[in-house]
Amino acid sequence: MRSIARTFELSLGIAATTIFLIMLGLFIWRYPMEEREFRACRAVAAVLDRATDIEGQKLTVRPTRALEELKADSPNLWYVVSAGELVSEYGSERRPALPFAFPYHGPVGSSVFSTLDQKSTFCLAVVQRGSLQLAMMVGEPQVRFGRLARNFLIRSVFSIMLLALAFAATVAVGAALAARFVSRGIERVALRALAIDPAAPQGLISLSEVPRELKPLVEALNRAFGEIDAYIRMQRRFLGNAAHQLRTPLTLLRAKIEDVPEPALRTELVRDVRRLTSLVAAMLDLARLQNHAIETRPIDLAQVTLDVLADFSPSALDAGIELALEQDGKGPFLVQGVDAAIRSALANLVGNAIIHAHGARRIVATLGRDGISIHDDGAGLPDGAEHGLIEPFQTGNAAGDGAGLGLSIVREIMAAHGGELIVSSTPGCGTTMSLRFPAAPAPVKSPQLDLQER
């Protein structure tokens, strides 16, 4: 589809050019008619000037086509041409008495005068020919309109071109400004729409910020955003309610499983119920994060990391994995957030690394000014698997353990804190999952870190 601004500029340019040509045509048609005698005088003088030759002591008026046409159209035409003492005359029998003597000596220019009997007028035109003045007196000319217009165009071609250029420049500037105004209005709407959070599109675009022509579009966008917001809220309420309603039946089911006499079947059922319970708990956590704003306070990320690593030490020991804590730079390492939420996010990353990092022997938590990274030296992820891993219900465990919501919840936690979850992996070199927080406030003292925690 064509650009609105380009289409607008092209349409305005065509319209302006058409208007200019119409105005020029009307001007050419009306302007010579307003002072017909004076315009005819100039046209006839131009014809005689081009037909007159002066060679030595001889003045000749050649029978040019334009002059013959003038004579044919003007049965009562007469003229007298003089240059110095040289004189050439045509139609002397029709010429009335004139107020000027021949040869004429006067200023250069042209005008219309009355004859001595005041019954008619004649044209007097004087042009400079080298050192001589060519004087022309013409009476009773009948000049066609086309010749008047053509003579006008020839004499005024420079002025017309200058006027056309000025008009074109004005139209171009006006079109550019108008097109810019339209495009700026569209850009404002687009930027305002892009600023709306897709996960919570309750923000509306103010109608006072956009031009009148774009208001129907903005109203349609606002209505669409409202419907999307209502749908998202309904979906989140359903997710939370469903997860909440499932907790009680699962608790009762687990109690009944304890009465199953076969140990192998009981173990398998317990594992399935545990997975369902984990899924329900993850769904509840996700619903809480999406439906409630969080209240933050300064959190000592170093202390939280130490606590989480201590909690996972037994599991890591059973899996034969070493847990280590390192720091990039000097502490303290403070972030703004909710303690329980950050602990949950970090626990998800460490737990995922222990369970899913196949072949890993060491997991290192590295503290930095902007957050913390969890790196394992396992087999890593296949190329391009990082992005899909953080989507809901995606799991990297082929055995099917886990709900597939852990990293999705971590992403929601970081989004609620104004940060982000970054996953990077290289096949054969391990995986790194980083929690990046926004800039922290002024630091306060933090407890000393033991850089190696096993």
Side-chain angles (χ1 to χ4, degrees):
M1 187 175 180
R2 290 184 177 179
S3 166
I4 294 178
R6 291 287 179 87
T7 303
F8 182 78
E9 289 179 358
L10 181 61
S11 301
L12 185 58
I14 293 174
T17 303
T18 304
I19 292 172
F20 176 77
L21 292 176
I22 292 174
M23 291 177 62
L24 181 61
L26 291 174
F27 181 75
I28 293 173
W29 180 63
R30 291 295 303 169
Y31 185 64
M33 297 296 292
E34 292 176 354
E35 300 179 5
R36 186 173 183 85
E37 286 187 334
F38 181 72
R39 299 300 164 188
C41 174
R42 297 183 65 173
V44 171
V47 170
L48 283 175
D49 184 16
R50 287 191 287 270
T52 302
D53 294 328
I54 304 174
E55 296 181 2
Q57 297 299 316
K58 187 178 180 181
L59 185 150
T60 305
V61 179
R62 295 178 289 105
T64 62
R65 179 180 177 182
L67 182 57
E68 294 303 314
E69 289 179 354
L70 180 62
K71 290 179 180 179
D73 295 336
S74 310
N76 296 321
L77 178 69
W78 60 265
Y79 62 79
V80 179
V81 181
S82 65
E85 300 300 325
L86 304 176
V87 178
S88 177
E89 186 173 0
Y90 170 78
S92 58
E93 69 279 5
R94 297 185 292 272
R95 175 174 58 82
L98 303 178
F100 302 108
F102 294 99
Y104 174 80
H105 300 281
V108 174
S110 60
S111 186
V112 177
F113 296 92
S114 296
T115 58
L116 287 177
D117 58 8
Q118 301 295 316
K119 293 181 179 180
S120 61
T121 60
F122 69 97
C123 167
L124 172 62
V126 181
V127 296
Q128 192 71 33
R129 282 283 193 94
S131 60
L132 296 176
Q133 283 186 344
L134 180 65
M136 295 164 284
M137 298 182 189
V138 187
E140 304 294 334
Q142 300 295 322
V143 184
R144 296 177 183 176
F145 169 75
R147 185 171 299 281
L148 285 175
R150 187 161 60 250
N151 183 67
F152 169 77
L153 287 175
I154 292 173
R155 286 179 169 272
S156 308
V157 62
F158 179 75
S159 300
I160 292 173
M161 289 180 61
L162 189 63
L163 179 63
L165 289 175
F167 186 80
T170 303
V171 170
V173 172
L177 292 177
R180 184 59 179 163
F181 174 76
V182 173
S183 60
R184 285 290 294 273
I186 296 175
E187 288 174 5
R188 283 197 298 271
V189 173
L191 291 175
R192 185 66 183 86
L194 289 173
I196 296 176
D197 184 6
Q202 67 271 13
L204 299 180
I205 304 174
S206 174
L207 293 179
S208 62
E209 299 177 5
V210 298
R212 184 183 299 107
E213 293 79 6
L214 295 179
K215 286 185 178 180
L217 173 62
V218 174
E219 290 174 349
L221 285 175
N222 286 339
R223 184 166 60 251
F225 285 140
E227 293 175 358
I228 293 172
D229 183 52
Y231 173 76
I232 292 176
R233 291 178 181 274
M234 180 181 67
Q235 186 184 48
R236 290 173 177 173
R237 282 197 302 269
F238 172 78
L239 180 64
N241 292 337
H244 183 74
Q245 294 298 325
L246 286 173
R247 295 182 68 179
T248 300
L250 286 175
T251 303
L252 295 176
L253 181 61
R254 182 164 185 175
K256 292 179 181 180
I257 288 175
E258 297 297 332
D259 297 332
V260 174
E262 297 181 19
L265 179 59
R266 183 170 62 248
T267 301
E268 184 177 352
L269 292 175
V270 166
R271 184 173 63 251
D272 291 341
V273 171
R274 185 183 298 117
R275 185 183 177 193
L276 286 174
T277 304
S278 175
L279 175 59
V280 170
M283 290 171 63
L284 280 173
D285 291 341
L286 189 59
R288 292 192 191 99
L289 283 171
Q290 292 176 337
N291 292 326
H292 299 88
I294 63 173
E295 296 181 2
T296 63
R297 64 180 181 83
I299 302 296
D300 187 349
L301 196 57
Q303 186 60 55
V304 172
T305 306
L306 284 173
D307 293 343
V308 171
L309 292 180
D311 292 340
F312 278 94
S313 291
S315 300
L317 186 62
D318 292 340
I321 297 176
E322 175 189 2
L323 296 181
L325 177 62
E326 298 178 354
Q327 64 180 32
D328 183 9
K330 296 182 179 180
F333 302 96
L334 297 179
V335 295
Q336 286 288 334
V338 178
D339 186 274
I342 294 177
R343 287 177 185 272
S344 175
L346 191 56
N348 258 303
L349 297 188
V350 177
N352 272 335
I354 293 175
I355 296 173
H356 301 300
H358 302 294
R361 289 292 176 265
R362 193 166 188 264
I363 296 175
V364 180
T366 305
L367 287 166
R369 289 291 182 185
D370 57 349
I372 183 169
S373 298
I374 305 298
H375 174 75
D376 65 72
D377 58 357
L381 300 172
D383 289 335
E386 296 93 335
H387 299 292
L389 199 63
I390 61 177
E391 296 301 321
F393 303 105
Q394 297 295 320
T395 175
N397 193 344
D401 296 336
L405 283 175
L407 293 182
S408 179
I409 292 175
V410 174
R411 182 180 63 179
E412 293 292 338
I413 290 174
M414 295 308 297
H417 285 77
E420 59 179 337
L421 167 65
I422 302 175
V423 180
S424 60
S425 182
T426 303
C429 297
T431 301
T432 302
M433 298 192 181
S434 305
L435 304 180
R436 293 288 177 254
F437 292 87
V444 297
K445 289 186 177 181
S446 172
Q448 295 293 325
L449 296 178
D450 182 7
L451 296 183
Q452 299 291 330
E453 179 68 20
R454 300 179 185 275

